[in-house]
Amino acid sequence: MKPKQILVVVLTILFTSCASSIPQPSKEELAAAKPYPLDTCLVIDRPLSETKKTYTKIYKGQQVKFCCTNCIKAFDANPELFMHKIK
């Protein structure tokens, strides 16, 4: 991760509050989307196996997974900053 990307992630996490509930995609949405190819959080590269809960979103037909709600917020602020990791 480049220094600028790290700064964006850190600032986003620091200045956002924790969301109480993040809607998860339906089974149908998950089945229609491309599977997530990584075993780490898309934003901070933390192994998903270390997290208590994994959050999943669908972005442009691709499943993306996160370790926490703050990472979802960082992703939502600038998705294309992170999507290159999947391609």
Side-chain angles (χ1 to χ4, degrees):
M1 193 178 267
K2 296 178 183 176
K4 185 177 180 180
Q5 291 173 322
I6 293 170
L7 179 62
V8 168
V9 171
V10 170
L11 290 175
T12 302
I13 291 170
L14 288 175
F15 293 107
T16 58
S17 62
C18 189
S20 59
S21 67
I22 302 294
Q24 295 291 287
S26 69
K27 289 181 182 179
E28 293 80 18
E29 291 172 315
L30 289 172
K34 294 178 194 171
Y36 186 65
L38 308 174
D39 59 356
T40 58
C41 172
L42 186 62
V43 174
I44 61 170
D45 300 320
R46 178 180 179 192
L48 294 171
S49 61
E50 292 179 358
T51 63
K52 293 179 184 175
K53 181 173 181 179
T54 299
Y55 298 89
T56 303
K57 287 187 72 154
I58 306 296
Y59 180 76
K60 294 185 177 180
Q62 172 69 58
Q63 290 181 24
V64 289
K65 295 189 179 188
F66 309 94
C67 64
C68 65
T69 57
N70 285 331
C71 286
I72 294 171
K73 289 179 181 186
F75 175 82
D76 287 343
N78 190 356
E80 294 306 320
L81 182 66
F82 305 103
M83 288 303 290
H84 75 278
K85 294 179 184 181
I86 294 177
K87 297 175 180 175

